[in-house]
Amino acid sequence: MDTSVVDFDQLLQAGYRYALSLSQNSATAEDLLQDAWVAVLKAKGPSTKAYLFSAIRSRFLNLYKREQLLSIVPLEDEHHNEVPEVDHFSENFDIEIVEDALNTLRSTEREALFLNAVEGYTAQEVADLTLQPRGSVLSLIHRAKTKIKRYVKEINSEAMP
Amino acid sequence: MSEDKIEKHVKSYYSSQTLDPKIMARLKSMSEASVETEETTTIFNRWPMMKMGIAASFLMFTVVTTQVLFNTYSHNTGDLVMRIAQEVELNHNKQFKSDFLSTNVQTLASVMHKLDFDLKLPARLINAGYEIIGARYCSIQGGIAAQLKLIDSAGKTSTLYVTKLNDLLVEISQQSQSHDGLTIDLWQDESLFYSLAQPQ
């Protein structure tokens, strides 16, 4: 393993955030990262983000939420209640609202959104990493954004007098 | 609300989430310890390595001699299975570094040009919880083979051997052998012959 060129801080932070996107729980994310990191070191695997993410994902599937990740999404959910393009998010970043909105997503949706929006992976790269068709990834990202829009809209409606 | 704004807020949220510094320090120290162990092994263990080299040469001589004797006097399947299992066990225990690093079998197939077959995973290992770490060339009974390093969910390293079926290998039925703490599975899948060595 070439440790001289690897920024471990950056790699481990990225691994933690990816684990968090899967589990949405900091303690579980720490466990996943630690297990995966031990396995990577033990196997003398490459210190790359893709390899670490793959190890984290595998552990998440095996230990925690296999049934959740593999469960089937009802077809009607796909285009359910398209939210009109009205700006419900304020310019100011509200961490609690974003966190609550992310909590309404399924693991698969959060994972696809994280890899695409935060890590900058293309839909094809997300598809390769998560072993699913590109079309499914695009659908997951679209669904995740729609759910967030819907959640924020509801929150704002409740806040209105 | 634009999609850009959602992405921006999601990015900001994840940027605000950071790993506990204590855990970060512990994980980093584990990686440093791992590197130190590797360096110590390289610098201070030369004599054992030489001894291993001599032993390996002797073993290779023995294997070659045995193989010649086997080829001369015996061609039955039981002997062939035994020889393959020994060969697989030897290769697994050498713990060679992978020459090709990829977690994707198709990527490995695209760069391992010397193979005279299409490298692919057998049906029984797809979605079986193994991750590929990398691969290198090797040989099984004189035929070119791919040696894939795999890791399972428990972090155990296994080695998968893939080669083209030939007139001898086609006679071998699916079976499992135990050798010095290793389980060695042999089987065929389509036109390929597979052997998996994994710790018991």
Side-chain angles (χ1 to χ4, degrees), chain A residues 119-138:
Chain A
E119 286 297 330
Y121 287 19
T122 63
Q124 186 56 55
E125 286 167 340
V126 178
D128 291 343
L129 186 73
T130 58
L131 306 173
Q132 55 190 328
R134 182 175 172 272
S136 303
V137 170
L138 288 169

Side-chain angles (χ1 to χ4, degrees), chain A residues 9 34 86-87 117 145, chain B residues 1 5 7 11 14 26 28:
Chain A
D9 282 72
Q34 187 164 315
V86 180
D87 200 340
K145 289 178 178 173
Chain B
M1 175 173 35
K5 197 178 274 184
E7 289 186 3
K11 263 187 203 174
Y14 280 108
R26 196 170 68 224
K28 280 172 70 180

Side-chain angles (χ1 to χ4, degrees), chain A residues 3 8-9 12-13 16-17 20-21 24 30 33-34 37-39 41-44 51 54-55 58-59 62 85-93 95 98-99 102 110 113-114 116-118 145 148-149, chain B residues 1-20 23-24 26-28 30-32 34-35 38 97 101 103-104 127 129 131-133 149 151-157:
Chain A
T3 51
F8 283 124
D9 282 72
L12 290 167
Q13 286 295 5
Y16 172 68
R17 287 169 185 148
L20 193 62
S21 80
Q24 202 63 6
E30 285 168 3
L33 175 66
Q34 187 164 315
W37 188 242
V38 167
L41 293 175
K42 203 170 169 185
K44 297 182 172 61
Y51 189 74
S54 174
S58 163
R59 266 141 203 86
N62 285 335
E85 290 291 324
V86 180
D87 200 340
H88 298 286
F89 250 137
S90 70
E91 279 300 330
N92 296 327
F93 170 62
I95 190 168
V98 179
E99 188 168 61
L102 286 168
R110 229 173 16 240
L113 181 64
F114 171 84
N116 178 249
V118 181
K145 289 178 178 173
I148 291 175
K149 280 181 198 175
Chain B
M1 175 173 35
S2 71
E3 301 221 332
D4 285 350
K5 197 178 274 184
I6 292 178
E7 289 186 3
K8 190 180 136 196
H9 283 301
V10 170
K11 263 187 203 174
S12 302
Y13 167 75
Y14 280 108
S15 299
S16 71
Q17 304 299 306
T18 54
L19 183 61
D20 183 326
I23 296 173
M24 170 71 85
R26 196 170 68 224
L27 296 183
K28 280 172 70 180
M30 283 166 63
S31 56
E32 282 154 14
S34 162
V35 172
E38 273 181 38
K97 283 195 173 178
L101 291 176
T103 56
N104 185 306
N127 297 327
E131 292 165 30
I132 300 172
I133 296 169
K149 210 171 188 178
I151 184 168
D152 66 13
S153 54
K156 286 185 181 172
T157 306

Side-chain angles (χ1 to χ4, degrees), chain B residues 127-187:
Chain B
N127 297 327
Y130 290 96
E131 292 165 30
I132 300 172
I133 296 169
R136 64 188 298 275
Y137 292 115
C138 69
S139 71
I140 288 185
Q141 294 300 295
I144 190 156
Q147 181 179 342
L148 275 68
K149 210 171 188 178
L150 312 173
I151 184 168
D152 66 13
S153 54
K156 286 185 181 172
T157 306
S158 302
T159 317
L160 177 71
Y161 299 84
V162 192
T163 191
K164 194 169 67 174
L165 272 179
N166 59 27
D167 292 345
L168 285 175
L169 296 176
V170 80
E171 298 296 322
I172 298 175
S173 56
Q174 181 174 329
Q175 56 195 285
S176 190
Q177 304 258 327
S178 285
H179 280 260
D180 279 345
L182 286 178
T183 300
I184 298 171
D185 293 313
L186 308 168
W187 76 99

Side-chain angles (χ1 to χ4, degrees), chain B:
Chain B
M1 175 173 35
S2 71
E3 301 221 332
D4 285 350
K5 197 178 274 184
I6 292 178
E7 289 186 3
K8 190 180 136 196
H9 283 301
V10 170
K11 263 187 203 174
S12 302
Y13 167 75
Y14 280 108
S15 299
S16 71
Q17 304 299 306
T18 54
L19 183 61
D20 183 326
K22 284 181 192 168
I23 296 173
M24 170 71 85
R26 196 170 68 224
L27 296 183
K28 280 172 70 180
S29 70
M30 283 166 63
S31 56
E32 282 154 14
S34 162
V35 172
E36 278 168 17
T37 309
E38 273 181 38
E39 284 171 354
T40 309
T41 307
T42 312
I43 296 166
F44 296 108
N45 288 5
R46 284 185 184 154
W47 172 235
M49 290 290 280
M50 282 173 67
K51 282 198 284 192
M52 277 173 64
I54 294 165
S57 305
F58 179 73
L59 205 56
M60 196 173 286
F61 173 77
T62 312
V63 168
V64 169
T65 310
T66 311
Q67 194 168 351
V68 169
L69 289 173
F70 267 126
N71 286 342
T72 309
Y73 297 108
S74 171
H75 270 301
N76 67 51
T77 311
D79 294 334
L80 181 64
V81 168
M82 177 78 81
R83 291 203 302 275
I84 292 172
Q86 283 173 343
E87 206 168 10
V88 164
E89 181 197 342
L90 273 174
N91 277 328
H92 177 84
N93 288 335
K94 282 175 194 165
Q95 294 289 326
F96 279 122
K97 283 195 173 178
S98 298
D99 294 325
F100 305 95
L101 291 176
S102 173
T103 56
N104 185 306
V105 73
Q106 286 166 337
T107 307
L108 291 171
S110 69
V111 293
M112 296 180 80
H113 305 295
K114 290 183 192 169
L115 298 178
D116 57 355
F117 55 89
D118 289 328
L119 179 63
K120 55 186 175 181
L121 284 180
R124 64 188 264 189
L125 292 192
I126 294 171
N127 297 327
Y130 290 96
E131 292 165 30
I132 300 172
I133 296 169
R136 64 188 298 275
Y137 292 115
C138 69
S139 71
I140 288 185
Q141 294 300 295
I144 190 156
Q147 181 179 342
L148 275 68
K149 210 171 188 178
L150 312 173
I151 184 168
D152 66 13
S153 54
K156 286 185 181 172
T157 306
S158 302
T159 317
L160 177 71
Y161 299 84
V162 192
T163 191
K164 194 169 67 174
L165 272 179
N166 59 27
D167 292 345
L168 285 175
L169 296 176
V170 80
E171 298 296 322
I172 298 175
S173 56
Q174 181 174 329
Q175 56 195 285
S176 190
Q177 304 258 327
S178 285
H179 280 260
D180 279 345
L182 286 178
T183 300
I184 298 171
D185 293 313
L186 308 168
W187 76 99
Q188 301 172 20
D189 192 333
E190 295 182 11
S191 60
L192 299 177
F193 178 82
Y194 293 92
S195 180
L196 179 69
Q198 50 192 337
Q200 285 170 342

